Amino acid sequence: MMMLAGLLLLLAVQCHGWLLSPNVLQHPTRLRQSSSSYEEPDNQFGNQNYWDKTYTQEKEFSWYCGWSEELEPFFTELVPDASAKVLIPGIGNDGCIRDMFDAGYTHLTAFDYAPEGVECAKRLFGSSRLKLVDDMRVADARSLPYDNEAYDAVLDKGTLDSIYLSGGADKELAGKYLGMAVKELARVLKRGGIAFCVTAACVDAVQESFDECNEEERCWKQIRDGSIHMTDDGYTSNNIDATMLVWERV
């Protein structure tokens, strides 16, 4: 756990204040599967071997927050139907998603950029849960292998942060990669679907990328902007050590 706690601190340092501020590219918003031809940066966050090593050393870690009494009341408020088809980017070793499954959200499609991340998730879920999961595979968030308008919701916990950071010191490249991923989320979400993003390291970059997706074609309606929110049963968002940004696909 110490290794990944240190990684979270590194993520925050790279996105906030001690390096150049995010500079997100202008790019077309054509909602189709993105091209998979791009140059891989010389940066650990875009390196599959780096993540494979991370997942090998740390078998379970809830990125930013857990499920029960942390993320659960805020997610279920917006996606109350447990039969919803939910896409999980970057599942890796996050026990929160297993707990989400146990809470009734069994129609999960999950992927990770690193093969060891998928194997780690399979071990966390165990054979009985895996029989019910819709799909779990290696995939790249910038070029998803899923159909248009296939999902009712997306739950992102730090994967968009990592995609931005995969650009390294090249903030133009970082913004391009993040924009590709956000356009892919718009493509695979149904109209009225929810993109629920938990971010701490790159809040501004994530916000700007969704905003930019709206500049040429209106894709998103923001319904949570990171300000303090209280659910009807009294849970407040400031009890989570991260920022919740949520959009509806329009």
Side-chain angles (χ1 to χ4, degrees), residues 8-247:
L8 291 179
L9 178 59
L10 179 60
L11 294 177
V13 167
Q14 291 203 15
C15 269
H16 291 296
W18 293 289
L19 287 180
L20 296 175
S21 59
N23 178 23
V24 183
L25 288 176
Q26 301 290 331
H27 50 74
T29 313
R30 291 186 296 169
L31 300 181
R32 56 179 177 81
Q33 189 163 339
S34 300
S35 169
S36 59
S37 59
Y38 40 74
E39 179 184 356
E40 287 294 351
D42 184 16
N43 177 272
Q44 61 185 4
F45 298 109
N47 187 300
Q48 285 181 323
N49 291 332
Y50 168 79
W51 288 109
D52 281 338
K53 181 179 179 181
T54 298
Y55 291 134
T56 299
Q57 295 179 356
E58 196 81 40
K59 301 301 182 184
E60 182 173 348
F61 184 86
S62 286
W63 293 84
Y64 297 152
C65 61
W67 176 254
S68 181
E69 297 190 358
E70 291 186 78
L71 186 58
E72 181 177 19
F74 304 103
F75 186 82
T76 58
E77 180 182 45
L78 297 173
V79 189
D81 184 1
S83 68
K85 292 184 178 296
V86 183
L87 180 65
I88 309 292
I91 185 170
N93 56 356
D94 196 339
C96 172
I97 308 304
R98 175 203 56 209
D99 297 341
M100 176 185 181
F101 178 95
D102 289 343
Y105 289 88
T106 57
H107 290 287
L108 300 181
T109 295
F111 70 89
D112 201 279
Y113 183 58
E116 184 56 35
V118 174
E119 293 306 311
C120 191
K122 288 180 177 179
R123 290 191 293 269
L124 278 177
F125 270 68
S127 59
S128 60
R129 294 185 185 91
L130 284 175
K131 293 176 182 177
L132 300 174
V133 169
D134 288 352
D135 186 44
M136 191 178 290
R137 69 171 84 177
V138 176
D140 190 322
R142 297 167 294 184
S143 182
L144 293 173
Y146 311 118
D147 292 337
N148 294 347
E149 299 188 37
Y151 298 100
D152 301 300
V154 172
L155 175 56
D156 160 59
K157 291 181 69 207
T159 296
L160 294 181
D161 290 355
S162 294
I163 291 169
Y164 181 78
L165 291 168
S166 74
D170 187 340
K171 298 308 173 187
E172 184 172 298
L173 185 64
K176 177 181 177 181
Y177 285 170
L178 183 56
M180 291 168 69
V182 169
K183 286 196 294 182
E184 280 292 83
L185 295 186
R187 182 181 66 79
V188 302
L189 263 180
K190 296 176 183 177
R191 305 285 173 152
I194 296 296
F196 196 112
C197 299
V198 183
T199 171
C202 301
V203 178
D204 292 343
V206 172
Q207 178 68 57
E208 288 175 20
S209 193
F210 276 86
D211 288 346
E212 187 167 295
C213 191
N214 278 334
E215 287 186 2
E216 294 198 16
E217 180 176 341
R218 188 164 181 262
C219 306
W220 304 105
K221 173 186 175 183
Q222 188 157 22
I223 54 179
R224 297 285 184 270
D225 63 2
S227 58
I228 295 177
H229 172 73
M230 179 181 289
T231 64
D232 290 341
D233 47 1
Y235 289 94
T236 55
S237 59
N238 61 326
N239 289 324
I240 292 180
D241 292 329
T243 298
M244 290 185 292
L245 301 176
V246 185
W247 289 266

